[in-house]
Amino acid sequence: MCCSAPCKILHDFFHEPINLYGTDVHIPKSPFHINVRTPFNPSSVLATGPGLLYGIVGKVSLFEVDCSAAGNAPLNINVEDDNHELVPVRVTETRPNCYDVSFIPQRPLPHHVNVLWNNFNIKGSPFKVNVIQRPEKDINLGGEGKIRVYYSTTTSSEKIRHNCRFLQTLMERKKVHLREDFEPWIPIDIGMDREERNRIFEKAGVRKTPMLFIDDQYVGDYDDVVELDECGELDRLLSYCALKYRNLQTIEEARKADELLKMQGSSS
């Protein structure tokens, strides 16, 4: 635009027209209307994971936040319980604008997770998280954040042998065997003492092999796994296990702190 007379530009950010004046007279076609796009979009931020649904006192709660389609803006996350006590939060960027988030509930109270993108709540925020007391008996097989299959090498059942092969095919189709959080199949009858084997059976509540465990939780035998795969639940469990595996260091730090707290409590 070239103008020999004094010129002023007025932009009303609420109504979006741009008015161009030359000596206080509209130039031809003024005011001009333009489309103004917000550089960030909180509705495009996606937060997922069990840490937004439930938690256990003293255990790490995890969820993911994907802001990759929401533009550029600061991410703010805070967690507080029903007594308005703030809970420390750890946020780790795993790839551009994608984050792993963890916190450790300390009281068996509902917790509220606020996820804000440029100070605007994303869809679903604040999330209400139900936190329960830790179960008195919690068998730990050491498989947190890992995928394990226990199987029998000495079974005489043709069905069980077939189920092992079918489960292996299913897992390979999903490329589970290539993942860092996958452990080689574990024989439950050779090289394992009876006490450890009984702990596995007790944790699972059954003695039927093959047995799939994800994140140290029994998922099921082959038939159960097929049903979970058909409804999409298996993929969700595998995805969460990957999140857990990425945060094993955080989980281990929390476990050590929890053990220290127990020792201090028992000595006082």
Side-chain angles (χ1 to χ4, degrees), residues 172-197:
E172 288 179 352
R173 191 174 73 240
K174 293 182 176 294
K175 301 189 183 304
V176 173
H177 63 297
L178 301 177
R179 292 172 43 155
E180 291 183 347
D181 54 352
F182 175 74
E183 293 189 347
W185 285 45
I186 303 170
I188 206 165
D189 44 12
I190 294 180
M192 181 181 293
D193 62 50
R194 178 177 296 180
E195 182 180 350
E196 180 65 14
R197 183 163 55 249

Side-chain angles (χ1 to χ4, degrees), residues 44-49 52 63-68 75-77 91-101 113-117 122 127 243 246:
S44 296
V45 178
L46 184 63
T48 57
L52 296 174
F63 63 93
E64 299 175 274
V65 180
D66 185 348
C67 311
S68 58
L75 173 68
N76 294 297
I77 300 173
V91 180
T92 305
E93 188 170 18
T94 55
R95 56 187 189 278
N97 279 352
C98 293
Y99 307 87
D100 285 355
V101 184
V113 178
N114 296 278
V115 181
L116 299 100
W117 187 241
I122 71 167
F127 299 88
L243 170 65
R246 290 198 303 267

Side-chain angles (χ1 to χ4, degrees), residues 84-141:
H84 303 292
E85 292 286 337
L86 287 174
V87 178
V89 177
R90 176 180 289 189
V91 180
T92 305
E93 188 170 18
T94 55
R95 56 187 189 278
N97 279 352
C98 293
Y99 307 87
D100 285 355
V101 184
S102 63
F103 65 96
I104 305 174
Q106 298 298 327
R107 296 182 178 89
L109 299 170
H111 283 52
H112 307 276
V113 178
N114 296 278
V115 181
L116 299 100
W117 187 241
N118 202 43
N119 292 323
F120 287 89
N121 273 304
I122 71 167
K123 185 178 180 180
S125 177
F127 299 88
K128 184 176 181 179
V129 181
N130 292 316
V131 176
I132 63 173
Q133 193 59 264
R134 188 192 322 233
E136 290 185 11
K137 189 173 185 180
D138 186 16
I139 299 174
N140 184 357
L141 300 177

Side-chain angles (χ1 to χ4, degrees), residues 75-262:
L75 173 68
N76 294 297
I77 300 173
N78 63 75
V79 179
E80 64 176 14
D81 62 26
D82 253 6
N83 290 339
H84 303 292
E85 292 286 337
L86 287 174
V87 178
V89 177
R90 176 180 289 189
V91 180
T92 305
E93 188 170 18
T94 55
R95 56 187 189 278
N97 279 352
C98 293
Y99 307 87
D100 285 355
V101 184
S102 63
F103 65 96
I104 305 174
Q106 298 298 327
R107 296 182 178 89
L109 299 170
H111 283 52
H112 307 276
V113 178
N114 296 278
V115 181
L116 299 100
W117 187 241
N118 202 43
N119 292 323
F120 287 89
N121 273 304
I122 71 167
K123 185 178 180 180
S125 177
F127 299 88
K128 184 176 181 179
V129 181
N130 292 316
V131 176
I132 63 173
Q133 193 59 264
R134 188 192 322 233
E136 290 185 11
K137 189 173 185 180
D138 186 16
I139 299 174
N140 184 357
L141 300 177
E144 199 164 17
K146 299 172 185 175
I147 302 166
R148 288 176 170 175
V149 179
Y150 296 97
Y151 73 108
S152 171
T153 61
T154 58
T155 180
S156 59
S157 169
E158 190 66 24
K159 175 175 171 51
I160 290 178
R161 289 199 294 268
H162 281 164
N163 284 351
C164 283
R165 289 194 291 270
F166 295 151
L167 180 58
Q168 183 176 6
T169 300
L170 173 61
M171 303 291 272
E172 288 179 352
R173 191 174 73 240
K174 293 182 176 294
K175 301 189 183 304
V176 173
H177 63 297
L178 301 177
R179 292 172 43 155
E180 291 183 347
D181 54 352
F182 175 74
E183 293 189 347
W185 285 45
I186 303 170
I188 206 165
D189 44 12
I190 294 180
M192 181 181 293
D193 62 50
R194 178 177 296 180
E195 182 180 350
E196 180 65 14
R197 183 163 55 249
N198 288 337
R199 291 177 74 247
I200 295 169
F201 289 151
E202 185 179 356
K203 177 106 176 176
V206 297
R207 303 176 71 90
K208 187 178 179 181
T209 61
M211 314 167 85
L212 175 62
F213 279 77
I214 297 179
D215 188 33
D216 212 39
Q217 300 299 317
Y218 177 64
V219 173
D221 61 14
Y222 171 71
D223 294 328
D224 297 325
V225 173
V226 169
E227 288 184 14
L228 291 171
D229 185 40
E230 289 175 350
C231 70
E233 182 67 11
L234 179 60
D235 288 337
R236 188 192 70 79
L237 292 171
L238 292 171
S239 176
Y240 176 61
C241 194
L243 170 65
K244 222 33 186 320
Y245 184 80
R246 290 198 303 267
N247 290 273
L248 281 180
Q249 183 178 352
T250 301
I251 293 167
E252 183 60 27
E253 290 173 359
R255 182 181 294 114
K256 289 180 179 177
D258 188 50
E259 288 175 355
L260 182 61
L261 207 62
K262 286 180 181 177

